[in-house]
């Protein structure tokens, strides 16, 4: 749904520059489309931890009733509070248990190798098209038991869900793009769910189709929301992680050389990439009662936007925060949230990132961004990820 907005690093660096300005001059800002905007680490960590004061149930409050959106939100963990959140999370958590994720390693390696084999005879290619997009969507479709031949539709639906990151979806966008995409996605999932209830298989879709909440089968909306979130929650994160890792290592050849020499540095390097380039730079909450943020009064029913991208660059938490340091202690970064809303797909995204980076380093003696190829970015205020990333690669 979002159009590429830049062909250089400028759109992203402009956002980071704004973060620095806000952290220094206005760590809590009132007004604007995002309500009360919060930038400091300590304030945002408190907001994410206090689910009673800062509710995640924002969609129905800031959008007019809409069938497709409301149906999707029935099973959307991101926009629910306890106790409903806990019940939905229990249903979806079966997909991302540590054992289940670990068992995917071999399959992820095979898919990564297969994708890179397709560009083996090319010395330049678009990393998004070749690897960063198809890898995570293929893995999760495989896990769910959905045909990867339907991947073109998955891309459209992923864009639609990405548009829901905003607290308010513009009516025209909802009516003509997001709504129809969510409806098509919902009917697609329901067809597979109904088939699995009649003909269960050994896949996650079958387990979701036959799951219950409080002894009752999932409603259509719960099935659509849970499946949609399962499919797309970690996809954009992995896609962003693969691309921004290559970008940062290209910008810091000394770190690239060090990682090539010692692959044990890969996991922490990826955490540093996530800290600096969080795929989703902001979250949305709404206050349930009057409160204070950073010493400033905030009324009830107020939209609050925690900019986790700024929190991860707060020098009070991460000294010299704009420096890329693969040895940094990144503990506490907020990329995957925290508390009850901590991202269930984080282990899978991390695993896919490690496998992808290691295989890229194994295959290519040199790997660099090709600026002449036309790097394109999504809107970084919604997602920090290239839409197109041409790279040069040599063995």
């Amino acid at each position: 749904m979002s159009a590429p907005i830049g062909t250089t690093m400028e759109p992203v660096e402009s956002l980071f520059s704004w973060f620095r300005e806000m952290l220094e001059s206005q760590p809590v800002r009132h007004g604007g489309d995002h309500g009360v905007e919060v930038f400091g680490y300590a304030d945002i960590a408190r907001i994410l931890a206090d689910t009673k004061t800062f509710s995640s149930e924002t969609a129905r409050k800031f959008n007019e009733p809409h069938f497709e959106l409301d149906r999707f939100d029935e099973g959307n963990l991101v926009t629910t509070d306890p106790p409903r959140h806990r019940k939905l999370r229990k249903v979806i958590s079966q997909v991302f248990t540590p054992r289940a994720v670990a068992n995917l390693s071999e399959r992820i390696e095979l898919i990564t190798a297969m994708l890179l084999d397709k560009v083996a005879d090319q010395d330049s290619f678009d990393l998004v098209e070749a690897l960063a997009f198809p890898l995570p969507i293929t893995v999760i479709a495989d896990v769910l038991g959905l045909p990867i031949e339907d991947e073109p539709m998955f891309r459209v639906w992923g864009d639609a869900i990405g548009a829901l990151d905003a607290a308010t979806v513009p009516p025209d966008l909802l009516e003509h793009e997001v709504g129809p995409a969510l409806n098509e996605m919902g009917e697609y999932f329901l067809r597979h769910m109904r088939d699995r209830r009649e003909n269960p298989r050994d896949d996650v879709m079958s387990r979701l189709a036959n799951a219950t909440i409080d002894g009752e089968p999932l409603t259509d909306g719960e099935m659509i929301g849970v499946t949609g979130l399962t499919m797309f929650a970690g996809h954009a994160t992995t896609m962003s992680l693969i691309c921004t890792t290559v970008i940062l290592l290209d910008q810091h050849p000394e770190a690239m050389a060090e990682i090539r020499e010692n692959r044990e540095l890969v996991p922490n390097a990826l955490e540093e990439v996530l800290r600096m380039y969080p795929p989703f730079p902001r979250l949305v909450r709404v206050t349930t009662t009057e409160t204070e943020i950073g010493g400033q009064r905030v009324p009830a029913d107020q939209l609050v936007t925690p900019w986790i991208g700024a929190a991860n660059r707060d020098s009070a938490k991460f000294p010299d925060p704009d420096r890329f340091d693969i040895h940094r202690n990144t503990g506490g970064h907020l990329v995957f949230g925290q508390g009850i809303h901590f991202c269930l797909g984080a282990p899978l995204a991390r695993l896919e990132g490690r496998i992808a980076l290691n295989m890229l380093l194994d295959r290519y003696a040199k790997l660099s961004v090709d600026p002449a190829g036309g790097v394109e970015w999504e809107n970084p205020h919604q997602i920090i990820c290239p839409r197109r990333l041409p790279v040069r690669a040599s063995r």
Side-chain angles (χ1 to χ4, degrees):
M1 299 299 168
S2 60
I5 67 165
T7 58
T8 68
M9 293 296 294
E10 192 279 329
V12 180
E13 292 303 328
S14 178
L15 178 65
F16 297 154
S17 177
W18 180 61
F19 287 163
R20 288 192 292 273
E21 179 185 347
M22 291 297 101
L23 284 164
E24 293 170 3
S25 64
Q26 205 173 359
V28 179
R29 187 174 83 158
H30 293 250
D33 294 338
H34 299 298
V36 176
E37 297 176 285
V38 187
F39 300 88
Y41 183 93
D43 288 331
I44 291 178
R46 175 202 153 213
I47 289 169
L48 300 187
D50 186 357
T51 58
K52 290 184 178 180
T53 304
F54 300 97
S55 169
S56 295
E57 294 185 352
T58 61
R60 288 181 177 86
K61 182 171 182 58
F62 294 98
N63 288 296
E64 294 296 320
H66 189 281
F67 173 72
E68 285 86 3
L69 181 58
D70 292 346
R71 184 170 69 166
F72 175 76
D73 275 333
E74 281 187 48
N76 184 1
L77 272 175
V78 174
T79 57
T80 56
D81 292 331
R84 182 174 179 76
H85 178 274
R86 181 177 63 254
K87 295 174 181 179
L88 286 169
R89 191 177 178 96
K90 184 177 180 181
V91 170
I92 199 172
S93 62
Q94 62 182 301
V95 181
F96 296 113
T97 63
R99 176 177 294 181
V101 171
N103 288 340
L104 291 173
S105 292
E106 184 175 349
R107 181 62 178 155
I108 295 171
E109 290 172 353
L110 288 172
I111 293 170
T112 305
M114 175 193 69
L115 292 169
L116 290 178
D117 284 346
K118 293 181 180 180
V119 293
D121 60 345
Q122 301 176 30
D123 57 10
S124 64
F125 52 87
D126 177 5
L127 188 64
V128 176
E129 285 296 323
L131 180 64
F133 179 87
L135 172 60
I137 204 69
T138 301
V139 170
I140 200 62
D142 210 31
V143 169
L144 286 167
L146 297 174
I148 194 57
E149 296 79 30
D150 294 337
E151 185 245 46
M153 293 189 297
F154 301 160
R155 183 186 292 259
V156 174
W157 303 338
D159 282 347
I161 291 176
L164 301 181
D165 174 62
T168 303
V169 181
D172 186 64
L173 182 65
L174 183 57
E175 186 66 27
H176 298 292
E177 295 187 57
V178 176
L182 289 178
N183 182 64
E184 183 182 49
M185 180 189 76
E187 295 306 311
Y188 175 88
F189 286 154
L190 289 176
R191 287 197 301 273
H192 282 278
M193 288 287 187
R194 289 163 184 154
D195 176 66
R196 295 307 199 281
R197 284 178 173 170
E198 295 293 326
N199 307 288
R201 308 174 195 173
D202 184 20
D203 56 32
V204 168
M205 187 67 80
S206 294
R207 292 198 288 276
L208 292 176
N210 294 283
T212 60
I213 293 179
D214 294 333
E216 296 293 329
L218 272 63
T219 66
D220 286 356
E222 287 168 342
M223 288 192 295
I224 292 167
V226 165
T227 308
L229 193 67
T230 300
M231 170 165 269
F232 298 110
H235 171 254
T237 298
T238 301
M239 181 169 63
S240 170
L241 177 58
I242 292 171
C243 291
T244 53
T245 297
V246 170
I247 289 170
L248 278 168
L249 291 179
D250 181 47
Q251 293 174 345
H252 299 83
E254 72 290 346
M256 173 78 89
E258 196 172 356
I259 290 172
R260 283 188 182 277
E261 183 69 23
N262 181 5
R263 297 299 181 83
E264 292 183 2
L265 294 173
V266 165
N268 201 70
L270 292 176
E271 295 303 309
E272 176 70 341
V273 173
L274 287 167
R275 182 193 69 81
M276 295 195 72
Y277 282 67
F280 299 104
R282 60 181 167 86
L283 300 172
V284 183
R285 297 290 187 268
V286 63
T287 54
T288 60
T289 186
E290 181 177 316
T291 187
E292 286 190 357
I293 304 175
Q296 299 185 32
R297 175 186 170 275
V298 177
D301 297 319
Q302 173 66 58
L303 178 67
V304 175
T305 300
W307 285 95
I308 60 171
N312 285 342
R313 288 174 178 249
D314 187 342
S315 60
K317 176 65 177 180
F318 301 104
D320 196 7
D322 295 324
R323 178 171 59 87
F324 179 57
D325 179 3
I326 62 175
H327 299 284
R328 183 192 299 275
N329 177 4
T330 59
H333 75 63
L334 301 176
V335 172
F336 296 114
Q338 66 176 25
I340 66 168
H341 282 283
F342 186 83
C343 178
L344 282 167
L348 180 57
R350 284 167 164 147
L351 178 62
E352 290 172 329
R354 289 198 300 271
I355 290 173
L357 178 56
N358 275 306
M359 197 166 294
L360 285 169
L361 296 177
D362 287 342
R363 290 209 173 197
Y364 301 110
K366 292 183 179 180
L367 182 66
S368 61
V369 176
D370 181 5
V375 179
E376 297 176 355
W377 287 88
E378 300 283 2
N379 182 346
H381 285 76
Q382 286 191 318
I383 179 172
I384 300 177
C385 182
R387 190 178 187 89
R388 185 171 185 273
L389 183 63
V391 295
R392 296 170 179 164
S394 59
R395 295 179 179 274

